[in-house]
PDB file of all heavy atoms in Angstrom:
ATOM      1  N   LYS U  69      -4.600  19.605 -25.506  1.00 90.00           N
ATOM      2  CA  LYS U  69      -4.466  19.153 -24.058  1.00 90.00           C
ATOM      3  C   LYS U  69      -5.008  20.227 -23.204  1.00 90.00           C
ATOM      4  O   LYS U  69      -5.663  19.945 -22.117  1.00 90.00           O
ATOM      5  CB  LYS U  69      -2.963  18.926 -23.838  1.00 90.00           C
ATOM      6  CG  LYS U  69      -2.317  17.824 -24.592  1.00 90.00           C
ATOM      7  CD  LYS U  69      -2.493  16.517 -23.746  1.00 90.00           C
ATOM      8  CE  LYS U  69      -1.648  15.436 -24.458  1.00 90.00           C
ATOM      9  NZ  LYS U  69      -2.207  14.095 -24.173  1.00 90.00           N
ATOM     10  N   LEU U  70      -4.797  21.514 -23.549  1.00 88.00           N
ATOM     11  CA  LEU U  70      -5.236  22.610 -22.709  1.00 88.00           C
ATOM     12  C   LEU U  70      -6.792  22.599 -22.639  1.00 88.00           C
ATOM     13  O   LEU U  70      -7.365  22.763 -21.514  1.00 88.00           O
ATOM     14  CB  LEU U  70      -4.841  23.944 -23.322  1.00 88.00           C
ATOM     15  CG  LEU U  70      -4.918  25.124 -22.449  1.00 88.00           C
ATOM     16  CD1 LEU U  70      -4.165  24.827 -21.086  1.00 88.00           C
ATOM     17  CD2 LEU U  70      -4.262  26.284 -23.094  1.00 88.00           C
ATOM     18  N   ASN U  71      -7.399  22.303 -23.685  1.00 87.00           N
ATOM     19  CA  ASN U  71      -8.973  22.157 -23.746  1.00 87.00           C
ATOM     20  C   ASN U  71      -9.515  20.962 -22.989  1.00 87.00           C
ATOM     21  O   ASN U  71     -10.658  20.913 -22.610  1.00 87.00           O
ATOM     22  CB  ASN U  71      -9.427  22.215 -25.215  1.00 87.00           C
ATOM     23  CG  ASN U  71      -9.195  23.546 -25.811  1.00 87.00           C
ATOM     24  OD1 ASN U  71      -9.228  24.610 -25.238  1.00 87.00           O
ATOM     25  ND2 ASN U  71      -9.048  23.541 -27.188  1.00 87.00           N
ATOM     26  N   SER U  72      -8.687  19.960 -22.698  1.00 84.00           N
ATOM     27  CA  SER U  72      -9.197  18.787 -22.119  1.00 84.00           C
ATOM     28  C   SER U  72      -8.642  18.628 -20.594  1.00 84.00           C
ATOM     29  O   SER U  72      -8.796  17.629 -20.010  1.00 84.00           O
ATOM     30  CB  SER U  72      -8.798  17.576 -22.941  1.00 84.00           C
ATOM     31  OG  SER U  72      -7.438  17.415 -22.960  1.00 84.00           O
ATOM     32  N   THR U  73      -7.926  19.711 -20.179  1.00 81.00           N
ATOM     33  CA  THR U  73      -7.331  19.612 -18.826  1.00 81.00           C
ATOM     34  C   THR U  73      -7.954  20.583 -17.925  1.00 81.00           C
ATOM     35  O   THR U  73      -8.030  21.827 -18.281  1.00 81.00           O
ATOM     36  CB  THR U  73      -5.744  19.828 -18.977  1.00 81.00           C
ATOM     37  OG1 THR U  73      -5.151  18.985 -19.889  1.00 81.00           O
ATOM     38  CG2 THR U  73      -5.126  19.708 -17.555  1.00 81.00           C
ATOM     39  N   PHE U  74      -8.460  20.145 -16.903  1.00 78.00           N
ATOM     40  CA  PHE U  74      -9.101  21.013 -15.890  1.00 78.00           C
ATOM     41  C   PHE U  74      -8.277  21.837 -15.069  1.00 78.00           C
ATOM     42  O   PHE U  74      -8.288  23.005 -14.984  1.00 78.00           O
ATOM     43  CB  PHE U  74     -10.127  20.244 -14.967  1.00 78.00           C
ATOM     44  CG  PHE U  74     -10.925  21.000 -14.087  1.00 78.00           C
ATOM     45  CD1 PHE U  74     -11.874  21.945 -14.487  1.00 78.00           C
ATOM     46  CD2 PHE U  74     -10.682  21.077 -12.768  1.00 78.00           C
ATOM     47  CE1 PHE U  74     -12.682  22.708 -13.688  1.00 78.00           C
ATOM     48  CE2 PHE U  74     -11.443  21.876 -11.779  1.00 78.00           C
ATOM     49  CZ  PHE U  74     -12.335  22.670 -12.338  1.00 78.00           C
ATOM     50  N   VAL U  75      -7.261  21.173 -14.522  1.00 75.00           N
ATOM     51  CA  VAL U  75      -6.199  21.854 -13.674  1.00 75.00           C
ATOM     52  C   VAL U  75      -4.916  21.850 -14.336  1.00 75.00           C
ATOM     53  O   VAL U  75      -4.398  20.779 -14.756  1.00 75.00           O
ATOM     54  CB  VAL U  75      -6.094  21.138 -12.227  1.00 75.00           C
ATOM     55  CG1 VAL U  75      -4.945  21.814 -11.380  1.00 75.00           C
ATOM     56  CG2 VAL U  75      -7.405  21.029 -11.501  1.00 75.00           C
ATOM     57  N   THR U  76      -4.444  23.073 -14.440  1.00 78.00           N
ATOM     58  CA  THR U  76      -3.035  23.159 -15.267  1.00 78.00           C
ATOM     59  C   THR U  76      -2.085  23.737 -14.325  1.00 78.00           C
ATOM     60  O   THR U  76      -2.339  24.350 -13.337  1.00 78.00           O
ATOM     61  CB  THR U  76      -3.287  24.212 -16.447  1.00 78.00           C
ATOM     62  OG1 THR U  76      -3.752  25.413 -15.975  1.00 78.00           O
ATOM     63  CG2 THR U  76      -4.264  23.509 -17.472  1.00 78.00           C
ATOM     64  N   PRO U  77      -0.795  23.471 -14.555  1.00 78.00           N
ATOM     65  CA  PRO U  77       0.307  24.041 -13.702  1.00 78.00           C
ATOM     66  C   PRO U  77       0.444  25.494 -13.686  1.00 78.00           C
ATOM     67  O   PRO U  77       1.061  26.026 -12.883  1.00 78.00           O
ATOM     68  CB  PRO U  77       1.516  23.401 -14.223  1.00 78.00           C
ATOM     69  CG  PRO U  77       1.276  23.074 -15.652  1.00 78.00           C
ATOM     70  CD  PRO U  77      -0.224  22.849 -15.705  1.00 78.00           C
ATOM     71  N   MET U  78      -0.186  26.168 -14.738  1.00 83.00           N
ATOM     72  CA  MET U  78      -0.141  27.667 -14.744  1.00 83.00           C
ATOM     73  C   MET U  78      -1.435  28.173 -15.486  1.00 83.00           C
ATOM     74  O   MET U  78      -2.186  27.291 -15.965  1.00 83.00           O
ATOM     75  CB  MET U  78       1.104  28.123 -15.474  1.00 83.00           C
ATOM     76  CG  MET U  78       1.254  27.820 -16.892  1.00 83.00           C
ATOM     77  SD  MET U  78       2.748  28.372 -17.728  1.00 83.00           S
ATOM     78  CE  MET U  78       3.978  27.424 -17.013  1.00 83.00           C
ATOM     79  N   GLU U  79      -1.597  29.400 -15.566  1.00 88.00           N
ATOM     80  CA  GLU U  79      -2.819  29.822 -16.193  1.00 88.00           C
ATOM     81  C   GLU U  79      -2.844  29.421 -17.628  1.00 88.00           C
ATOM     82  O   GLU U  79      -1.859  29.475 -18.363  1.00 88.00           O
ATOM     83  CB  GLU U  79      -2.826  31.421 -16.134  1.00 88.00           C
ATOM     84  CG  GLU U  79      -2.964  32.027 -14.806  1.00 88.00           C
ATOM     85  CD  GLU U  79      -4.290  31.609 -14.234  1.00 88.00           C
ATOM     86  OE1 GLU U  79      -5.327  31.639 -14.851  1.00 88.00           O
ATOM     87  OE2 GLU U  79      -4.299  31.469 -12.936  1.00 88.00           O
ATOM     88  N   PRO U  80      -3.978  29.054 -18.135  1.00 89.00           N
ATOM     89  CA  PRO U  80      -4.144  28.484 -19.416  1.00 89.00           C
ATOM     90  C   PRO U  80      -3.710  29.508 -20.527  1.00 89.00           C
ATOM     91  O   PRO U  80      -3.193  29.199 -21.470  1.00 89.00           O
ATOM     92  CB  PRO U  80      -5.683  28.159 -19.626  1.00 89.00           C
ATOM     93  CG  PRO U  80      -6.058  27.866 -18.293  1.00 89.00           C
ATOM     94  CD  PRO U  80      -5.309  28.680 -17.330  1.00 89.00           C
ATOM     95  N   GLU U  81      -3.991  30.846 -20.255  1.00 93.00           N
ATOM     96  CA  GLU U  81      -3.596  31.887 -21.237  1.00 93.00           C
ATOM     97  C   GLU U  81      -2.189  31.969 -21.270  1.00 93.00           C
ATOM     98  O   GLU U  81      -1.566  32.290 -22.414  1.00 93.00           O
ATOM     99  CB  GLU U  81      -4.252  33.200 -20.710  1.00 93.00           C
ATOM    100  CG  GLU U  81      -5.802  33.282 -20.730  1.00 93.00           C
ATOM    101  CD  GLU U  81      -6.321  32.801 -19.469  1.00 93.00           C
ATOM    102  OE1 GLU U  81      -5.631  32.481 -18.509  1.00 93.00           O
ATOM    103  OE2 GLU U  81      -7.541  32.481 -19.510  1.00 93.00           O
ATOM    104  N   ASP U  82      -1.443  31.782 -20.163  1.00 92.00           N
ATOM    105  CA  ASP U  82       0.009  31.824 -20.172  1.00 92.00           C
ATOM    106  C   ASP U  82       0.600  30.592 -21.030  1.00 92.00           C
ATOM    107  O   ASP U  82       1.567  30.797 -21.767  1.00 92.00           O
ATOM    108  CB  ASP U  82       0.665  31.775 -18.753  1.00 92.00           C
ATOM    109  CG  ASP U  82       0.270  32.983 -17.991  1.00 92.00           C
ATOM    110  OD1 ASP U  82       0.020  34.028 -18.685  1.00 92.00           O
ATOM    111  OD2 ASP U  82       0.272  32.985 -16.768  1.00 92.00           O
ATOM    112  N   ILE U  83      -0.054  29.344 -20.906  1.00 92.00           N
ATOM    113  CA  ILE U  83       0.482  28.229 -21.600  1.00 92.00           C
ATOM    114  C   ILE U  83       0.158  28.556 -23.067  1.00 92.00           C
ATOM    115  O   ILE U  83       1.130  28.287 -23.932  1.00 92.00           O
ATOM    116  CB  ILE U  83      -0.386  27.039 -21.185  1.00 92.00           C
ATOM    117  CG1 ILE U  83      -0.008  26.553 -19.783  1.00 92.00           C
ATOM    118  CG2 ILE U  83      -0.253  25.880 -22.202  1.00 92.00           C
ATOM    119  CD1 ILE U  83      -0.891  25.554 -19.139  1.00 92.00           C
ATOM    120  N   GLN U  84      -0.952  29.167 -23.554  1.00 95.00           N
ATOM    121  CA  GLN U  84      -1.172  29.408 -24.912  1.00 95.00           C
ATOM    122  C   GLN U  84      -0.144  30.388 -25.434  1.00 95.00           C
ATOM    123  O   GLN U  84       0.412  30.265 -26.503  1.00 95.00           O
ATOM    124  CB  GLN U  84      -2.617  30.079 -25.003  1.00 95.00           C
ATOM    125  CG  GLN U  84      -3.650  29.056 -24.962  1.00 95.00           C
ATOM    126  CD  GLN U  84      -5.066  29.732 -25.118  1.00 95.00           C
ATOM    127  OE1 GLN U  84      -5.214  31.016 -24.853  1.00 95.00           O
ATOM    128  NE2 GLN U  84      -6.062  28.954 -25.454  1.00 95.00           N
TER     129      GLN U  84
END
Side-chain angles (χ1 to χ4, degrees):
K69 293 271 187 210
L70 196 54
N71 289 332
S72 65
T73 305
F74 182 69
V75 178
T76 58
M78 63 179 73
E79 293 295 324
E81 295 83 16
D82 293 336
I83 292 171
Q84 286 179 339

